[in-house]
Amino acid sequence: MVLLHIDPSRTVGKRDPMIYGHFIEHFHRQIYGGIYDPGNPLSDAEGFRIDVIKAMQRIKTPVLRWPGGCYVSASHWKDGVGKERRPHFDKAWRVEEPNTFGTDEYIAFCRKVGCAPYICTNAGTGSAEEMSDWVEYCNLPNEGPWAKLRADNGHKDPFKVKYWSIGNENYGSWEMGAKSAEEWGRLVTESAKMMKRVDPSIELSAAALADLDWNINLLKGSGKNLSWISLHGYWDGINQTNDYANYEQSMVYTNTLDSQVAKVRGLLAAMDFGNRIRIAFDEWNLRGWYHPNVDAGLSLDEYIKPRDLNDENQRYTMADAVFTACFLSMVNRNCDIVGMANYAPVVNTRGCIYTYPKGIVLRPTYHVFDMYVNELGDTVLDTYAEAGQKLSLTDKQGKATETPALDLLATLDAQGNVVLAAINKDPAKAQDFTIDWGSSPSPSGYSIHTLSGTSTESYNDAGHDDAVPLMPTKAGYKAPDSIKLPPHSVNVIKFAK
Ligand code: AHR
């Protein structure tokens, strides 16, 4: 049994609410038919899906990254503003992009959800000037043609977009206009300079890797202009045969959740940026898809359609939920350096909300966000767990490995209650743990909120949205000798002070 030592006076720090952020891309049905669906009775007068907005409000979406992703690296924001929208051929996903959803619509959507905008610029085929024109369009009151254009488009007041990312995965061969480490350092330096000349108050991020050369080149030239460094993580690469990792294989990935953070943390410290630059883990998800153009020259429709059938939701199970909880706990533990994380994406494809013409499905991962955002405290405690049981697992390549069965994160809420995120990764067995409260008074009782479903394969779908139910909170437990967590479960446990 695991023994968890908790001392409420030992804190790691306050987590930034932006660690519960999201991402949306011009990619299949994420925007069109996802958050934006003009003419659908479930949409408002401006075409935004009201059910999606409400679901995003419930998980207090703090920040939404847009418009890509790979999409951004060959797209031009000027095609998507004003009355005359210019459709273009999207070379990342090989479809026509109508550009009817552009900057004005994105800002309107963020305002309805109540989240901060976070714009990712085209650093593939775009220029430093195009990026700084975008800052002018969004943030200058009235100086210059682009600020005036915004006003002409009906928005007299600036949008005040604080968070900007220079580029996406510009290191990757799959990205349009990919760059070498040297080219990247130079482009970011020049772009940051021009963007900050337009609005010095913006906070900039730029694409990084857990790769020394790339990051050194980036930070040497541009470190002084960056507030963030951007990381992406997809653990389960899925190919044409749809070989989604099963539950056990997905748990193997939880062993490497923090490896990029650890490397970048070390480099930032070594280069004296540790106190100035934070990590924005601005795309993450258990599942990553190979890029159709890289893989087999398929069009987006050929590639995605088979993944967007009615049975699409069956792919997102308790494996995704447990992995998501482990990632969010990792980010909480690293809250001194990770200030933002963006689940990729929020809607459709492998997102936590699935839309169909008559409604939405809240996937198991959505409920994990709901529990973490709405129930955990904002102060992360520095705990120590004495080893418990390890699970023997086999990874996707057939290699045997182990992972701890339990993942325990402790937080303190505004009322001074200790609130735990307690994850049992064990596919089949309940697992126990006990707490040593040291010299602090033991709590008089606790309440527990559990997400587990009936099996590791439980999922939610249209028409049966209850396969992964949030079990009713059980209140009034007396201070226990040990707490038992059901198999494959994510739990939030609040201890009465
Ligand atoms: O989500 C699809 C793609 O995955 C994104 O465009 C890209 O940034 C990541 O590689």
Side-chain angles (χ1 to χ4, degrees), residues 440-461:
S440 15
S442 296
S444 49
Y446 71 97
S447 61
I448 182 164
H449 206 174
T450 298
L451 178 78
S452 71
T454 46
S455 83
T456 54
E457 304 312 305
S458 291
Y459 63 94
N460 285 341
D461 204 353

Side-chain angles (χ1 to χ4, degrees), residues 345-396:
V346 62
V347 169
N348 290 337
T349 58
R350 55 211 155 164
C352 59
I353 302 168
Y354 177 81
T355 67
Y356 58 103
K358 293 191 169 149
I360 57 174
V361 173
L362 302 177
R363 288 181 173 148
T365 46
Y366 177 90
H367 295 298
V368 174
F369 274 96
D370 193 357
M371 293 165 85
Y372 273 65
V373 168
N374 290 311
E375 298 178 45
L376 287 185
D378 62 0
T379 300
V380 180
L381 296 180
D382 181 17
T383 53
Y384 167 64
E386 280 180 41
Q389 195 179 329
K390 295 240 167 137
L391 303 175
S392 300
L393 303 171
T394 307
D395 73 9
K396 226 171 163 180

Side-chain angles (χ1 to χ4, degrees), residues 23 25-27 30 65 67-72 92-93 168-169 171 174-175 232 234 283 287-291 344-345 349-350:
F23 168 59
E25 178 172 10
H26 288 251
F27 181 31
Q30 292 179 27
R65 179 174 179 261
C70 299
Y71 164 80
V72 77
W93 306 120
N168 184 49
E169 296 169 352
Y171 40 78
W174 56 88
E175 196 84 9
H232 289 183
Y234 295 100
E283 280 187 39
R287 318 284 178 186
W289 290 350
Y290 289 125
H291 295 248
T349 58
R350 55 211 155 164

Side-chain angles (χ1 to χ4, degrees), residues 308-320:
D308 194 45
L309 299 170
N310 285 340
D311 65 359
E312 169 69 1
N313 289 312
Q314 294 178 18
R315 302 181 192 284
Y316 303 101
T317 64
M318 280 309 296
D320 299 78

